[in-house]
Amino acid sequence: MKTLIIYYSYGGNSALVAEELKKAADADVLELKTEDEKVRTGFAKYAWGGKQVFTHKYPELKPYTVTIEDYDRIIIGGPVWAGTPAPALQSFIAKTKISGKKIGIFLCHAGGKGKAMDKFKALLPGNTIAGEIDFVNPAKLDRAAVSLRIADWVGSL
Ligand SMILES: Cc1cc2nc3c(=O)[nH]c(=O)nc-3n(C[C@H](O)[C@H](O)[C@H](O)COP(=O)(O)O)c2cc1C
């Protein structure tokens, strides 16, 4: 089974998960990057990200090449922003046809994922959601424990 990991990460948490997933799943990896990669902190970061969510103005992504048809299994994830999957993930899904795939979804958040997982699943109709997992700011957790949890999860997909 050929697996592709697709992720977006603003602060490194989802990147860490993607790295561990790659080790566990022997997969190709596509990192989504936005054209506007300016580093923001504090209130400015939340205001900027929240605005994208509430206005549904999803960011332009840096060019990428991917042939979804080449893969049987797709693991896709990133951060929760204002109770939804980060807008960059939504930009990708809006532009890329993903159907008939086995899907694993991961989310990183700060403890308030709300309905983000349900919203994520709703963006991917016509696929089989084989598994879902979420992490509370994994960059702050014990790396070995995160790694183990990810390996277990990948094994269950
Ligand atoms: C604009 C913005 C909105 C956020 N909204 C939420 C939220 O609704 N719930 C939550 O638990 N965390 C929220 N967070 C925190 C991130 O989801 C969390 O820190 C995540 O681990 C970051 O992943 P990353 O480092 O891969 O970007 C938000 C962060 C940002 C920047």
PDB file of all heavy atoms in Angstrom, residues 17-53:
ATOM      1  N   VAL A  17       4.661  15.693  14.131  1.00  0.00           N
ATOM      2  CA  VAL A  17       3.795  14.520  13.938  1.00  0.00           C
ATOM      3  C   VAL A  17       4.069  13.904  12.557  1.00  0.00           C
ATOM      4  O   VAL A  17       4.205  12.686  12.422  1.00  0.00           O
ATOM      5  CB  VAL A  17       2.297  14.889  14.099  1.00  0.00           C
ATOM      6  CG1 VAL A  17       1.396  13.731  13.701  1.00  0.00           C
ATOM      7  CG2 VAL A  17       2.006  15.313  15.532  1.00  0.00           C
ATOM      8  N   ALA A  18       4.179  14.761  11.538  1.00  0.00           N
ATOM      9  CA  ALA A  18       4.421  14.262  10.179  1.00  0.00           C
ATOM     10  C   ALA A  18       5.748  13.499  10.101  1.00  0.00           C
ATOM     11  O   ALA A  18       5.850  12.466   9.423  1.00  0.00           O
ATOM     12  CB  ALA A  18       4.413  15.419   9.189  1.00  0.00           C
ATOM     13  N   GLU A  19       6.731  14.004  10.801  1.00  0.00           N
ATOM     14  CA  GLU A  19       8.044  13.343  10.813  1.00  0.00           C
ATOM     15  C   GLU A  19       7.939  11.937  11.431  1.00  0.00           C
ATOM     16  O   GLU A  19       8.481  10.965  10.892  1.00  0.00           O
ATOM     17  CB  GLU A  19       8.975  14.198  11.668  1.00  0.00           C
ATOM     18  CG  GLU A  19      10.430  14.140  11.287  1.00  0.00           C
ATOM     19  CD  GLU A  19      11.237  15.093  12.171  1.00  0.00           C
ATOM     20  OE1 GLU A  19      11.052  16.325  12.031  1.00  0.00           O
ATOM     21  OE2 GLU A  19      11.994  14.603  12.996  1.00  0.00           O
ATOM     22  N   GLU A  20       7.222  11.847  12.543  1.00  0.00           N
ATOM     23  CA  GLU A  20       7.043  10.544  13.190  1.00  0.00           C
ATOM     24  C   GLU A  20       6.182   9.617  12.333  1.00  0.00           C
ATOM     25  O   GLU A  20       6.412   8.419  12.269  1.00  0.00           O
ATOM     26  CB  GLU A  20       6.426  10.708  14.588  1.00  0.00           C
ATOM     27  CG  GLU A  20       7.337  11.398  15.590  1.00  0.00           C
ATOM     28  CD  GLU A  20       8.620  10.608  15.889  1.00  0.00           C
ATOM     29  OE1 GLU A  20       8.631   9.378  15.731  1.00  0.00           O
ATOM     30  OE2 GLU A  20       9.615  11.248  16.270  1.00  0.00           O
ATOM     31  N   LEU A  21       5.191  10.208  11.667  1.00  0.00           N
ATOM     32  CA  LEU A  21       4.335   9.401  10.785  1.00  0.00           C
ATOM     33  C   LEU A  21       5.157   8.823   9.645  1.00  0.00           C
ATOM     34  O   LEU A  21       4.971   7.662   9.262  1.00  0.00           O
ATOM     35  CB  LEU A  21       3.219  10.277  10.200  1.00  0.00           C
ATOM     36  CG  LEU A  21       2.015  10.545  11.094  1.00  0.00           C
ATOM     37  CD1 LEU A  21       1.178  11.680  10.524  1.00  0.00           C
ATOM     38  CD2 LEU A  21       1.166   9.287  11.252  1.00  0.00           C
ATOM     39  N   LYS A  22       6.049   9.632   9.114  1.00  0.00           N
ATOM     40  CA  LYS A  22       6.880   9.157   7.994  1.00  0.00           C
ATOM     41  C   LYS A  22       7.700   7.948   8.422  1.00  0.00           C
ATOM     42  O   LYS A  22       7.833   6.974   7.692  1.00  0.00           O
ATOM     43  CB  LYS A  22       7.774  10.278   7.484  1.00  0.00           C
ATOM     44  CG  LYS A  22       8.622   9.849   6.282  1.00  0.00           C
ATOM     45  CD  LYS A  22       9.389  11.003   5.707  1.00  0.00           C
ATOM     46  CE  LYS A  22      10.490  10.556   4.747  1.00  0.00           C
ATOM     47  NZ  LYS A  22      10.031   9.703   3.644  1.00  0.00           N
ATOM     48  N   LYS A  23       8.256   8.035   9.627  1.00  0.00           N
ATOM     49  CA  LYS A  23       9.042   6.903  10.146  1.00  0.00           C
ATOM     50  C   LYS A  23       8.170   5.658  10.271  1.00  0.00           C
ATOM     51  O   LYS A  23       8.584   4.562   9.943  1.00  0.00           O
ATOM     52  CB  LYS A  23       9.582   7.244  11.546  1.00  0.00           C
ATOM     53  CG  LYS A  23      10.768   8.166  11.560  1.00  0.00           C
ATOM     54  CD  LYS A  23      11.351   8.196  12.971  1.00  0.00           C
ATOM     55  CE  LYS A  23      11.815   9.590  13.341  1.00  0.00           C
ATOM     56  NZ  LYS A  23      11.938   9.795  14.783  1.00  0.00           N
ATOM     57  N   ALA A  24       6.944   5.855  10.759  1.00  0.00           N
ATOM     58  CA  ALA A  24       6.074   4.712  11.045  1.00  0.00           C
ATOM     59  C   ALA A  24       5.421   4.147   9.789  1.00  0.00           C
ATOM     60  O   ALA A  24       5.144   2.945   9.721  1.00  0.00           O
ATOM     61  CB  ALA A  24       5.001   5.121  12.046  1.00  0.00           C
ATOM     62  N   ALA A  25       5.180   4.997   8.797  1.00  0.00           N
ATOM     63  CA  ALA A  25       4.355   4.558   7.665  1.00  0.00           C
ATOM     64  C   ALA A  25       5.144   4.357   6.372  1.00  0.00           C
ATOM     65  O   ALA A  25       4.576   3.921   5.381  1.00  0.00           O
ATOM     66  CB  ALA A  25       3.249   5.574   7.421  1.00  0.00           C
ATOM     67  N   ASP A  26       6.416   4.683   6.364  1.00  0.00           N
ATOM     68  CA  ASP A  26       7.217   4.570   5.153  1.00  0.00           C
ATOM     69  C   ASP A  26       6.498   5.257   3.977  1.00  0.00           C
ATOM     70  O   ASP A  26       6.172   4.626   2.966  1.00  0.00           O
ATOM     71  CB  ASP A  26       7.479   3.081   4.851  1.00  0.00           C
ATOM     72  CG  ASP A  26       8.378   2.917   3.638  1.00  0.00           C
ATOM     73  OD1 ASP A  26       9.152   3.844   3.349  1.00  0.00           O
ATOM     74  OD2 ASP A  26       8.291   1.866   2.963  1.00  0.00           O
ATOM     75  N   ALA A  27       6.223   6.528   4.157  1.00  0.00           N
ATOM     76  CA  ALA A  27       5.359   7.251   3.221  1.00  0.00           C
ATOM     77  C   ALA A  27       6.094   8.388   2.523  1.00  0.00           C
ATOM     78  O   ALA A  27       7.145   8.838   2.971  1.00  0.00           O
ATOM     79  CB  ALA A  27       4.187   7.835   4.012  1.00  0.00           C
ATOM     80  N   ASP A  28       5.505   8.847   1.424  1.00  0.00           N
ATOM     81  CA  ASP A  28       5.940  10.122   0.844  1.00  0.00           C
ATOM     82  C   ASP A  28       5.286  11.240   1.656  1.00  0.00           C
ATOM     83  O   ASP A  28       4.245  11.032   2.273  1.00  0.00           O
ATOM     84  CB  ASP A  28       5.481  10.226  -0.615  1.00  0.00           C
ATOM     85  CG  ASP A  28       6.188   9.212  -1.502  1.00  0.00           C
ATOM     86  OD1 ASP A  28       7.275   8.729  -1.111  1.00  0.00           O
ATOM     87  OD2 ASP A  28       5.641   8.874  -2.568  1.00  0.00           O
ATOM     88  N   VAL A  29       5.901  12.422   1.590  1.00  0.00           N
ATOM     89  CA  VAL A  29       5.389  13.534   2.395  1.00  0.00           C
ATOM     90  C   VAL A  29       5.227  14.783   1.530  1.00  0.00           C
ATOM     91  O   VAL A  29       6.119  15.128   0.758  1.00  0.00           O
ATOM     92  CB  VAL A  29       6.357  13.863   3.558  1.00  0.00           C
ATOM     93  CG1 VAL A  29       5.843  15.050   4.366  1.00  0.00           C
ATOM     94  CG2 VAL A  29       6.541  12.656   4.475  1.00  0.00           C
ATOM     95  N   LEU A  30       4.092  15.422   1.663  1.00  0.00           N
ATOM     96  CA  LEU A  30       3.873  16.719   1.026  1.00  0.00           C
ATOM     97  C   LEU A  30       3.579  17.741   2.118  1.00  0.00           C
ATOM     98  O   LEU A  30       2.574  17.642   2.823  1.00  0.00           O
ATOM     99  CB  LEU A  30       2.676  16.643   0.063  1.00  0.00           C
ATOM    100  CG  LEU A  30       2.205  17.969  -0.522  1.00  0.00           C
ATOM    101  CD1 LEU A  30       3.276  18.592  -1.416  1.00  0.00           C
ATOM    102  CD2 LEU A  30       0.908  17.793  -1.310  1.00  0.00           C
ATOM    103  N   GLU A  31       4.486  18.707   2.247  1.00  0.00           N
ATOM    104  CA  GLU A  31       4.226  19.784   3.209  1.00  0.00           C
ATOM    105  C   GLU A  31       3.577  20.952   2.475  1.00  0.00           C
ATOM    106  O   GLU A  31       4.107  21.419   1.467  1.00  0.00           O
ATOM    107  CB  GLU A  31       5.528  20.266   3.874  1.00  0.00           C
ATOM    108  CG  GLU A  31       5.234  21.413   4.838  1.00  0.00           C
ATOM    109  CD  GLU A  31       6.473  22.014   5.509  1.00  0.00           C
ATOM    110  OE1 GLU A  31       7.603  21.590   5.187  1.00  0.00           O
ATOM    111  OE2 GLU A  31       6.289  22.909   6.355  1.00  0.00           O
ATOM    112  N   LEU A  32       2.463  21.403   2.986  1.00  0.00           N
ATOM    113  CA  LEU A  32       1.790  22.556   2.389  1.00  0.00           C
ATOM    114  C   LEU A  32       2.365  23.820   2.996  1.00  0.00           C
ATOM    115  O   LEU A  32       2.486  23.940   4.212  1.00  0.00           O
ATOM    116  CB  LEU A  32       0.283  22.499   2.675  1.00  0.00           C
ATOM    117  CG  LEU A  32      -0.423  21.217   2.255  1.00  0.00           C
ATOM    118  CD1 LEU A  32      -1.886  21.254   2.691  1.00  0.00           C
ATOM    119  CD2 LEU A  32      -0.309  20.997   0.750  1.00  0.00           C
ATOM    120  N   LYS A  33       2.712  24.757   2.109  1.00  0.00           N
ATOM    121  CA  LYS A  33       3.224  26.042   2.593  1.00  0.00           C
ATOM    122  C   LYS A  33       2.385  27.136   1.972  1.00  0.00           C
ATOM    123  O   LYS A  33       2.012  27.037   0.808  1.00  0.00           O
ATOM    124  CB  LYS A  33       4.683  26.213   2.199  1.00  0.00           C
ATOM    125  CG  LYS A  33       5.622  25.294   2.971  1.00  0.00           C
ATOM    126  CD  LYS A  33       7.049  25.837   2.886  1.00  0.00           C
ATOM    127  CE  LYS A  33       7.986  25.188   3.868  1.00  0.00           C
ATOM    128  NZ  LYS A  33       7.907  25.684   5.223  1.00  0.00           N
ATOM    129  N   THR A  34       2.137  28.178   2.740  1.00  0.00           N
ATOM    130  CA  THR A  34       1.346  29.276   2.175  1.00  0.00           C
ATOM    131  C   THR A  34       2.291  30.319   1.578  1.00  0.00           C
ATOM    132  O   THR A  34       3.452  30.424   1.961  1.00  0.00           O
ATOM    133  CB  THR A  34       0.460  29.924   3.249  1.00  0.00           C
ATOM    134  OG1 THR A  34       1.294  30.398   4.304  1.00  0.00           O
ATOM    135  CG2 THR A  34      -0.540  28.934   3.803  1.00  0.00           C
ATOM    136  N   GLU A  35       1.759  31.083   0.626  1.00  0.00           N
ATOM    137  CA  GLU A  35       2.570  32.140   0.002  1.00  0.00           C
ATOM    138  C   GLU A  35       2.978  33.173   1.055  1.00  0.00           C
ATOM    139  O   GLU A  35       4.060  33.719   1.005  1.00  0.00           O
ATOM    140  CB  GLU A  35       1.768  32.824  -1.112  1.00  0.00           C
ATOM    141  CG  GLU A  35       1.621  31.975  -2.373  1.00  0.00           C
ATOM    142  CD  GLU A  35       2.918  31.860  -3.177  1.00  0.00           C
ATOM    143  OE1 GLU A  35       3.958  32.417  -2.749  1.00  0.00           O
ATOM    144  OE2 GLU A  35       2.889  31.201  -4.226  1.00  0.00           O
ATOM    145  N   ASP A  36       2.090  33.404   2.012  1.00  0.00           N
ATOM    146  CA  ASP A  36       2.356  34.398   3.056  1.00  0.00           C
ATOM    147  C   ASP A  36       2.872  33.671   4.303  1.00  0.00           C
ATOM    148  O   ASP A  36       2.095  33.262   5.154  1.00  0.00           O
ATOM    149  CB  ASP A  36       1.044  35.134   3.360  1.00  0.00           C
ATOM    150  CG  ASP A  36       1.186  36.047   4.563  1.00  0.00           C
ATOM    151  OD1 ASP A  36       2.329  36.349   4.955  1.00  0.00           O
ATOM    152  OD2 ASP A  36       0.149  36.455   5.107  1.00  0.00           O
ATOM    153  N   GLU A  37       4.175  33.487   4.355  1.00  0.00           N
ATOM    154  CA  GLU A  37       4.743  32.693   5.450  1.00  0.00           C
ATOM    155  C   GLU A  37       5.305  33.550   6.589  1.00  0.00           C
ATOM    156  O   GLU A  37       6.094  33.087   7.386  1.00  0.00           O
ATOM    157  CB  GLU A  37       5.855  31.774   4.926  1.00  0.00           C
ATOM    158  CG  GLU A  37       5.350  30.537   4.222  1.00  0.00           C
ATOM    159  CD  GLU A  37       4.677  29.545   5.159  1.00  0.00           C
ATOM    160  OE1 GLU A  37       5.220  29.253   6.230  1.00  0.00           O
ATOM    161  OE2 GLU A  37       3.580  29.074   4.812  1.00  0.00           O
ATOM    162  N   LYS A  38       4.875  34.811   6.653  1.00  0.00           N
ATOM    163  CA  LYS A  38       5.411  35.713   7.684  1.00  0.00           C
ATOM    164  C   LYS A  38       5.166  35.146   9.094  1.00  0.00           C
ATOM    165  O   LYS A  38       4.085  34.651   9.385  1.00  0.00           O
ATOM    166  CB  LYS A  38       4.695  37.061   7.554  1.00  0.00           C
ATOM    167  CG  LYS A  38       5.444  38.203   8.182  1.00  0.00           C
ATOM    168  CD  LYS A  38       4.796  39.511   7.784  1.00  0.00           C
ATOM    169  CE  LYS A  38       4.457  40.311   9.006  1.00  0.00           C
ATOM    170  NZ  LYS A  38       3.594  41.439   8.740  1.00  0.00           N
ATOM    171  N   VAL A  39       6.185  35.227   9.919  1.00  0.00           N
ATOM    172  CA  VAL A  39       6.040  34.732  11.292  1.00  0.00           C
ATOM    173  C   VAL A  39       5.310  35.775  12.124  1.00  0.00           C
ATOM    174  O   VAL A  39       5.691  36.945  12.150  1.00  0.00           O
ATOM    175  CB  VAL A  39       7.420  34.429  11.916  1.00  0.00           C
ATOM    176  CG1 VAL A  39       7.258  34.030  13.382  1.00  0.00           C
ATOM    177  CG2 VAL A  39       8.124  33.332  11.140  1.00  0.00           C
ATOM    178  N   ARG A  40       4.259  35.347  12.756  1.00  0.00           N
ATOM    179  CA  ARG A  40       3.503  36.245  13.641  1.00  0.00           C
ATOM    180  C   ARG A  40       3.459  35.615  15.021  1.00  0.00           C
ATOM    181  O   ARG A  40       3.479  34.405  15.158  1.00  0.00           O
ATOM    182  CB  ARG A  40       2.087  36.432  13.110  1.00  0.00           C
ATOM    183  CG  ARG A  40       2.041  37.124  11.773  1.00  0.00           C
ATOM    184  CD  ARG A  40       0.649  37.061  11.180  1.00  0.00           C
ATOM    185  NE  ARG A  40       0.566  37.787   9.924  1.00  0.00           N
ATOM    186  CZ  ARG A  40       0.932  37.289   8.755  1.00  0.00           C
ATOM    187  NH1 ARG A  40       1.425  36.081   8.652  1.00  0.00           N
ATOM    188  NH2 ARG A  40       0.820  38.013   7.660  1.00  0.00           N
ATOM    189  N   THR A  41       3.348  36.475  16.003  1.00  0.00           N
ATOM    190  CA  THR A  41       3.277  35.946  17.369  1.00  0.00           C
ATOM    191  C   THR A  41       2.124  36.608  18.113  1.00  0.00           C
ATOM    192  O   THR A  41       1.579  37.615  17.655  1.00  0.00           O
ATOM    193  CB  THR A  41       4.584  36.236  18.150  1.00  0.00           C
ATOM    194  OG1 THR A  41       4.839  37.626  18.069  1.00  0.00           O
ATOM    195  CG2 THR A  41       5.768  35.454  17.611  1.00  0.00           C
ATOM    196  N   GLY A  42       1.783  36.025  19.251  1.00  0.00           N
ATOM    197  CA  GLY A  42       0.799  36.624  20.146  1.00  0.00           C
ATOM    198  C   GLY A  42      -0.530  36.932  19.481  1.00  0.00           C
ATOM    199  O   GLY A  42      -1.003  36.168  18.631  1.00  0.00           O
ATOM    200  N   PHE A  43      -1.086  38.058  19.820  1.00  0.00           N
ATOM    201  CA  PHE A  43      -2.429  38.408  19.352  1.00  0.00           C
ATOM    202  C   PHE A  43      -2.475  38.492  17.824  1.00  0.00           C
ATOM    203  O   PHE A  43      -3.448  38.062  17.195  1.00  0.00           O
ATOM    204  CB  PHE A  43      -2.878  39.731  19.982  1.00  0.00           C
ATOM    205  CG  PHE A  43      -4.230  40.168  19.491  1.00  0.00           C
ATOM    206  CD1 PHE A  43      -5.388  39.534  19.947  1.00  0.00           C
ATOM    207  CD2 PHE A  43      -4.348  41.181  18.550  1.00  0.00           C
ATOM    208  CE1 PHE A  43      -6.637  39.914  19.464  1.00  0.00           C
ATOM    209  CE2 PHE A  43      -5.599  41.572  18.069  1.00  0.00           C
ATOM    210  CZ  PHE A  43      -6.735  40.941  18.528  1.00  0.00           C
ATOM    211  N   ALA A  44      -1.408  39.045  17.216  1.00  0.00           N
ATOM    212  CA  ALA A  44      -1.384  39.218  15.753  1.00  0.00           C
ATOM    213  C   ALA A  44      -1.575  37.878  15.046  1.00  0.00           C
ATOM    214  O   ALA A  44      -2.255  37.779  14.030  1.00  0.00           O
ATOM    215  CB  ALA A  44      -0.070  39.859  15.326  1.00  0.00           C
ATOM    216  N   LYS A  45      -0.989  36.832  15.623  1.00  0.00           N
ATOM    217  CA  LYS A  45      -1.089  35.498  15.016  1.00  0.00           C
ATOM    218  C   LYS A  45      -2.541  35.014  15.040  1.00  0.00           C
ATOM    219  O   LYS A  45      -3.057  34.522  14.039  1.00  0.00           O
ATOM    220  CB  LYS A  45      -0.180  34.539  15.806  1.00  0.00           C
ATOM    221  CG  LYS A  45      -0.216  33.115  15.327  1.00  0.00           C
ATOM    222  CD  LYS A  45       0.880  32.287  15.951  1.00  0.00           C
ATOM    223  CE  LYS A  45       0.546  31.832  17.351  1.00  0.00           C
ATOM    224  NZ  LYS A  45       1.521  30.872  17.891  1.00  0.00           N
ATOM    225  N   TYR A  46      -3.194  35.183  16.174  1.00  0.00           N
ATOM    226  CA  TYR A  46      -4.569  34.702  16.301  1.00  0.00           C
ATOM    227  C   TYR A  46      -5.540  35.549  15.479  1.00  0.00           C
ATOM    228  O   TYR A  46      -6.493  35.031  14.894  1.00  0.00           O
ATOM    229  CB  TYR A  46      -4.980  34.635  17.779  1.00  0.00           C
ATOM    230  CG  TYR A  46      -4.195  33.564  18.506  1.00  0.00           C
ATOM    231  CD1 TYR A  46      -3.088  33.881  19.278  1.00  0.00           C
ATOM    232  CD2 TYR A  46      -4.529  32.219  18.343  1.00  0.00           C
ATOM    233  CE1 TYR A  46      -2.335  32.893  19.899  1.00  0.00           C
ATOM    234  CE2 TYR A  46      -3.785  31.217  18.966  1.00  0.00           C
ATOM    235  CZ  TYR A  46      -2.689  31.565  19.743  1.00  0.00           C
ATOM    236  OH  TYR A  46      -1.948  30.582  20.336  1.00  0.00           O
ATOM    237  N   ALA A  47      -5.253  36.856  15.422  1.00  0.00           N
ATOM    238  CA  ALA A  47      -6.122  37.745  14.646  1.00  0.00           C
ATOM    239  C   ALA A  47      -6.014  37.400  13.151  1.00  0.00           C
ATOM    240  O   ALA A  47      -7.024  37.282  12.440  1.00  0.00           O
ATOM    241  CB  ALA A  47      -5.725  39.193  14.882  1.00  0.00           C
ATOM    242  N   TRP A  48      -4.788  37.202  12.705  1.00  0.00           N
ATOM    243  CA  TRP A  48      -4.538  36.877  11.287  1.00  0.00           C
ATOM    244  C   TRP A  48      -5.159  35.530  10.918  1.00  0.00           C
ATOM    245  O   TRP A  48      -5.863  35.403   9.910  1.00  0.00           O
ATOM    246  CB  TRP A  48      -3.016  36.864  11.074  1.00  0.00           C
ATOM    247  CG  TRP A  48      -2.529  36.224   9.822  1.00  0.00           C
ATOM    248  CD1 TRP A  48      -2.593  36.719   8.563  1.00  0.00           C
ATOM    249  CD2 TRP A  48      -1.879  34.943   9.725  1.00  0.00           C
ATOM    250  NE1 TRP A  48      -2.021  35.831   7.681  1.00  0.00           N
ATOM    251  CE2 TRP A  48      -1.576  34.744   8.371  1.00  0.00           C
ATOM    252  CE3 TRP A  48      -1.517  33.963  10.650  1.00  0.00           C
ATOM    253  CZ2 TRP A  48      -0.940  33.594   7.905  1.00  0.00           C
ATOM    254  CZ3 TRP A  48      -0.876  32.815  10.191  1.00  0.00           C
ATOM    255  CH2 TRP A  48      -0.592  32.637   8.842  1.00  0.00           C
ATOM    256  N   GLY A  49      -4.922  34.534  11.752  1.00  0.00           N
ATOM    257  CA  GLY A  49      -5.453  33.197  11.452  1.00  0.00           C
ATOM    258  C   GLY A  49      -6.960  33.142  11.615  1.00  0.00           C
ATOM    259  O   GLY A  49      -7.660  32.549  10.785  1.00  0.00           O
ATOM    260  N   GLY A  50      -7.449  33.786  12.678  1.00  0.00           N
ATOM    261  CA  GLY A  50      -8.885  33.774  12.927  1.00  0.00           C
ATOM    262  C   GLY A  50      -9.647  34.447  11.793  1.00  0.00           C
ATOM    263  O   GLY A  50     -10.706  33.982  11.381  1.00  0.00           O
ATOM    264  N   LYS A  51      -9.065  35.517  11.247  1.00  0.00           N
ATOM    265  CA  LYS A  51      -9.727  36.242  10.150  1.00  0.00           C
ATOM    266  C   LYS A  51      -9.920  35.321   8.932  1.00  0.00           C
ATOM    267  O   LYS A  51     -10.964  35.318   8.292  1.00  0.00           O
ATOM    268  CB  LYS A  51      -8.873  37.451   9.764  1.00  0.00           C
ATOM    269  CG  LYS A  51      -9.563  38.386   8.815  1.00  0.00           C
ATOM    270  CD  LYS A  51      -8.720  39.607   8.550  1.00  0.00           C
ATOM    271  CE  LYS A  51      -9.242  40.321   7.318  1.00  0.00           C
ATOM    272  NZ  LYS A  51      -8.260  41.199   6.733  1.00  0.00           N
ATOM    273  N   GLN A  52      -8.886  34.518   8.646  1.00  0.00           N
ATOM    274  CA  GLN A  52      -9.003  33.587   7.510  1.00  0.00           C
ATOM    275  C   GLN A  52     -10.156  32.616   7.722  1.00  0.00           C
ATOM    276  O   GLN A  52     -10.895  32.282   6.799  1.00  0.00           O
ATOM    277  CB  GLN A  52      -7.711  32.787   7.359  1.00  0.00           C
ATOM    278  CG  GLN A  52      -6.538  33.589   6.872  1.00  0.00           C
ATOM    279  CD  GLN A  52      -5.277  32.732   6.828  1.00  0.00           C
ATOM    280  OE1 GLN A  52      -5.317  31.563   6.494  1.00  0.00           O
ATOM    281  NE2 GLN A  52      -4.155  33.315   7.187  1.00  0.00           N
ATOM    282  N   VAL A  53     -10.279  32.149   8.976  1.00  0.00           N
ATOM    283  CA  VAL A  53     -11.338  31.179   9.269  1.00  0.00           C
ATOM    284  C   VAL A  53     -12.708  31.841   9.118  1.00  0.00           C
ATOM    285  O   VAL A  53     -13.593  31.328   8.428  1.00  0.00           O
ATOM    286  CB  VAL A  53     -11.186  30.610  10.698  1.00  0.00           C
ATOM    287  CG1 VAL A  53     -12.386  29.732  11.060  1.00  0.00           C
ATOM    288  CG2 VAL A  53      -9.885  29.816  10.837  1.00  0.00           C
TER     289      VAL A  53
END
